[in-house]
Amino acid sequence: MTSNKLQQAQNNSVQSYFVNQVGNYLKDLPDVIGEGEGRRLAFNLVVRSAAALEAGGYTWQDVDIKKLTMDYVRMVTLGLDASNDECYPIPYRNTKTKKVELQCEPSAKGLKKLVMQYAVGRKIIDFRAFAIREGDSFRLTRTPGDDKWEYQEAIFGSGKVLGYVTIIIYEDGSSNVMTHSLEDIEARRQASKSPNSPAWKNWPIEMALAKATRRHCKAISIKLPDAQAKALDAVDQQEMKEVQDVAPAPVIEISGESYAVDGDGVIEDYPDEPQQSARDPQQSDQVSPDEAWMEA
């Protein structure tokens, strides 16, 4: 009981540290996000981070605190909520600094949110994704400015998946359809850092739909409001000089079994970006549907 109370006290200390750091940074940026909402989003990120660290067998003393704080500010500035699976932290051991970098990135769900909020041009009101099976019927006619589509699903069909379709629906009723062949998805899976991870083995359709969603989102131009764009630029230029690279009080000394904490993240969806070979992602042997989003 005493151990549990001590661990809770340590958790509270770490949570307060990060929430205050993010809150203090946002205090002077009222046009970006309210301080209260920023603190709430930061708290949710800390909770997710603690779980990821425990799963990987790490403690907060291992973490690059300054980098993590700036990553938190990026996610909070974008308005992404970790408790809603819109962003996630994945631990990497940086072999150069010997510290753990909790890389925070938008999930497929988070990217979809950003596209729907900030897409350039026509307003997006819906984003749909389908796995097309044998027995289903999907008809597509492409016309200038509008893709006409009709989908008839074979209810409870168990036919082989033939491919995937993602659909953006605009406010004026027009659509933008992107098709994703099995080869398209397989190429992205192979380009990932963990192509044979438990999530891909246990939930291949859900993972493929997430990949398809990311691919479509990448094709849509977005423009952030000026206040958010400037705030993100300030973080990228490492202007948070008040953040000290000192770890908060120790927390989570118990190593748990690894689950769904591996190196996929956003990097796997951008094979054209440089791979960060200095980092060793943690992998696991188990994954559940609720955890698969961390790898997508």
Side-chain angles (χ1 to χ4, degrees), residues 179-200:
T179 59
H180 314 265
S181 68
L182 297 182
E183 291 76 14
D184 291 331
I185 299 301
E186 178 62 14
R188 282 160 176 73
R189 185 182 74 83
Q190 290 296 337
S192 73
K193 299 187 75 173
S194 298
N196 299 311
S197 66
W200 276 109

Side-chain angles (χ1 to χ4, degrees), residues 148-197:
K148 308 289 186 180
W149 59 278
E150 179 182 348
Y151 176 43
Q152 293 183 344
E153 180 183 359
I155 302 299
F156 306 124
S158 57
K160 178 183 177 182
V161 173
L162 302 176
Y164 302 87
V165 174
T166 51
I167 304 171
I168 286 176
I169 300 177
Y170 296 102
E171 191 174 34
D172 62 7
S174 60
S175 300
N176 175 268
V177 177
M178 181 177 284
T179 59
H180 314 265
S181 68
L182 297 182
E183 291 76 14
D184 291 331
I185 299 301
E186 178 62 14
R188 282 160 176 73
R189 185 182 74 83
Q190 290 296 337
S192 73
K193 299 187 75 173
S194 298
N196 299 311
S197 66

Side-chain angles (χ1 to χ4, degrees), residues 113 115-127 168-175 220:
K113 176 180 179 178
V115 165
M116 292 184 67
Q117 286 183 333
Y118 303 120
V120 175
R122 292 174 291 176
K123 179 177 177 56
I124 298 173
I125 62 171
D126 198 6
F127 191 110
I168 286 176
I169 300 177
Y170 296 102
E171 191 174 34
D172 62 7
S174 60
S175 300
I220 304 299

Side-chain angles (χ1 to χ4, degrees), residues 62-82:
D62 300 319
V63 175
D64 186 333
I65 298 300
K66 184 174 181 179
K67 181 183 183 303
L68 180 58
T69 304
M70 290 191 289
D71 277 358
Y72 281 174
V73 171
R74 288 187 183 93
M75 295 300 100
V76 171
T77 299
L78 290 171
L80 298 179
D81 190 345

Side-chain angles (χ1 to χ4, degrees), residues 68-131:
L68 180 58
T69 304
M70 290 191 289
D71 277 358
Y72 281 174
V73 171
R74 288 187 183 93
M75 295 300 100
V76 171
T77 299
L78 290 171
L80 298 179
D81 190 345
S83 70
N84 195 34
D85 295 345
E86 294 169 0
C87 58
Y88 52 87
I90 294 181
Y92 294 84
R93 173 71 75 177
N94 188 315
T95 57
K96 293 182 179 179
T97 65
K98 306 303 181 183
K99 289 189 175 184
V100 173
E101 296 183 6
L102 273 167
Q103 186 179 33
C104 297
E105 298 288 353
S107 66
K109 187 175 182 179
L111 289 177
K112 183 170 69 173
K113 176 180 179 178
L114 294 176
V115 165
M116 292 184 67
Q117 286 183 333
Y118 303 120
V120 175
R122 292 174 291 176
K123 179 177 177 56
I124 298 173
I125 62 171
D126 198 6
F127 191 110
R128 303 179 187 179
F130 302 108

